Amino acid sequence: MSYTILTGDRPTGSLHLGHYVGSLRQRVELQQHHQQTVLVADLQGLTDNGNNPQKISTNVLNLVADYLAVGICPQKTTICLQSALPALAELTMYYLNLVSVARLERNPTVKSEIMEKDFSRSLPAGFLVYPVSQAADITAFGATHVPVGDDQLPMLEQTNEIVRRFNHIVGRQVLTECQPLLSNVSRLPGLDGQGKMSKSRGNTITLGADADQVHKAVMSMFTDPGHLNINDPGQVEGNMVFTYLDAFCEDAALVADLKAHYRRGGLGDMKIKRLLEDCLQSLLEPIRTRRTQYLADKGELLRILRQGTQRADQVSRQTLGQVKAALGLDFF
Ligand code: ATP
Ligand code: MG
């Protein structure tokens, strides 16, 4: 069965290993057999960066370069820019009337982001309603499946509520419900071990990180604080190096053996860190090279983004037309 897929990222900084295991890796597979659109969510990026638009604008082409570097192929995947798709903003305006403020305030991801960012009364209205604009993005492309990290599950729930409400009001199936595609690592912890790896928290290894940065990041990772001597039994649970080995080492049998050895005692932290560093260096080295090559030709990145955006514009306008018709607002 062929899925219709929509995913995206905010151009708020370089993509990182969390994105790679949480969704990029899957996207590269999915584009082989499914209809996939990837959205550079610059409007959403502005919702908590309204005073710093330059941060968003300078990261747009970097994000496209990150996509291409990991193997998202513009012939197979439509890569498009949210702010250049007016139908998405229009759909958001219609959907906003179907959601209560109380419901938006209950969204657990938004709630924890509001706390983290310490907005209190200065909370931008656009930030509170960004899940509604995500619903516009997802439904505009008729997405049936959305590959995301687990922080995005409340957004998909909100989307489906809007879809059901809208279809109920107009009395027919105009909008499509979606379901998440969670990867097996749906939340990679950050280097600080506090919560998920995230651009805003500065606890990342970016896809463009150089070999030295990768080395330093791995060497400074927490292991088991109680594992002072090599021969002591060590703990695997909550041990960041093993969490990362689970996510990045392709040899699962080897990781299982190492875990058993670590638990018994006799396996040093340096050994597992070296293995992790090898895995990460060999993953990131070709990505870094391709990323640098793409970034050297901004004209080409722009051309790719423009082409994808033109395609996405047609699809999203069609959905907007159907929504307006269902509401009886298709006067012209
Ligand atoms: P920001 O801090 O600006 O919100 P971010 O690092 O959270 O940035 P987003 O652009 O918000 O990144 O997220 C894009 C996608 O990547 C989402 O589907 C999200 O679930 C996924 N993702 C982000 N961080 C991780 C992570 N640490 N582990 C797994 N998936 C992740
Ligand atoms: Mg985020």
Side-chain angles (χ1 to χ4, degrees):
M1 199 184 90
S2 178
Y3 300 158
T4 303
I5 293 166
L6 182 279
T7 68
D9 306 275
R10 297 151 36 99
T12 48
S14 298
L15 294 187
H16 50 67
L17 289 177
H19 296 115
Y20 186 77
V21 289
S23 91
L24 296 172
R25 191 159 64 179
Q26 260 185 308
R27 298 180 198 177
V28 176
E29 293 297 314
L30 288 165
Q31 68 181 351
Q32 305 302 343
H33 305 288
H34 305 281
Q35 173 68 44
Q36 178 166 258
T37 303
V38 174
L39 186 72
V40 177
D42 56 346
L43 285 183
Q44 193 184 314
L46 282 173
T47 61
D48 56 341
N49 291 285
N51 295 328
N52 190 5
Q54 217 196 338
K55 174 173 167 191
I56 305 303
S57 57
T58 53
N59 275 303
V60 167
L61 291 184
N62 292 342
L63 186 55
V64 178
D66 280 338
Y67 288 158
L68 300 175
V70 297
I72 293 178
C73 163
Q75 277 81 44
K76 297 183 178 138
T77 294
T78 299
I79 302 175
C80 57
L81 183 64
Q82 192 181 30
S83 64
L85 297 167
L88 301 182
E90 284 191 55
L91 283 172
T92 305
M93 287 305 288
Y94 291 108
Y95 297 170
L96 277 171
N97 303 317
L98 305 179
V99 183
S100 71
V101 173
R103 171 66 181 91
L104 289 166
E105 286 171 343
R106 274 201 308 274
N107 182 311
T109 299
V110 175
K111 234 173 162 173
S112 66
E113 286 172 339
I114 289 174
M115 279 206 332
E116 234 167 69
K117 294 173 202 284
D118 213 7
F119 278 137
S120 75
R121 286 297 298 160
S122 64
L123 173 68
F127 191 83
L128 184 67
V129 305
Y130 88 71
V132 181
S133 99
Q134 271 185 235
D137 305 337
I138 293 168
T139 54
F141 297 97
T144 56
H145 291 79
V146 185
V148 283
D150 68 0
D151 60 319
Q152 295 301 304
L153 295 178
M155 311 311 172
L156 304 195
E157 237 172 76
Q158 175 73 83
T159 298
N160 287 340
E161 278 175 36
I162 291 172
V163 167
R164 286 193 289 269
R165 182 102 198 269
F166 185 88
N167 289 344
H168 175 74
I169 290 167
V170 302
R172 57 195 158 93
Q173 299 290 310
V174 176
L175 301 175
T176 313
E177 285 193 48
C178 65
Q179 47 178 296
L181 287 175
L182 281 178
S183 84
N184 53 351
V185 189
S186 61
R187 182 176 298 222
L188 186 75
L191 290 175
D192 52 3
Q194 312 277 312
K196 72 160 199 161
M197 181 176 281
S198 154
K199 294 183 216 114
S200 323
R201 292 183 207 178
N203 59 4
T204 67
I205 298 179
T206 64
L207 297 182
D210 65 31
D212 190 47
Q213 287 168 324
V214 174
H215 173 76
K216 287 197 175 115
V218 173
M219 291 306 147
S220 62
M221 264 182 185
F222 295 108
T223 53
D224 168 10
H227 188 236
L228 297 177
N229 297 308
I230 288 188
N231 292 325
D232 292 344
Q235 207 175 330
V236 165
E237 291 71 27
N239 183 322
M240 290 273 288
V241 178
F242 279 109
T243 307
Y244 275 56
L245 280 173
D246 279 332
F248 295 100
C249 179
E250 281 165 16
D251 191 344
L254 171 66
V255 177
D257 282 352
L258 290 173
K259 282 182 181 172
H261 191 173
Y262 196 82
R263 284 197 180 100
R264 279 199 309 275
L267 178 61
D269 287 348
M270 268 321 275
K271 269 242 168 79
I272 52 171
K273 285 189 172 180
R274 276 205 205 99
L275 172 65
L276 176 61
E277 187 186 346
D278 284 350
C279 294
L280 294 183
Q281 298 286 17
S282 57
L283 170 72
L284 289 176
E285 202 262 334
I287 294 177
R288 183 192 312 135
T289 309
R290 284 196 297 266
R291 190 175 181 275
T292 311
Q293 283 164 355
Y294 284 118
L295 280 173
D297 190 353
K298 293 256 163 78
E300 173 67 359
L301 291 174
L302 207 54
R303 195 187 59 76
I304 289 171
L305 185 60
R306 185 184 298 121
Q307 267 187 2
T309 304
Q310 281 164 353
R311 242 180 293 156
D313 191 46
Q314 287 176 4
V315 180
S316 54
R317 277 181 199 277
Q318 232 168 17
T319 306
L320 176 64
Q322 288 160 359
V323 163
K324 289 176 79 166
L327 295 170
L329 295 174
D330 52 341
F331 289 105
F332 311 111

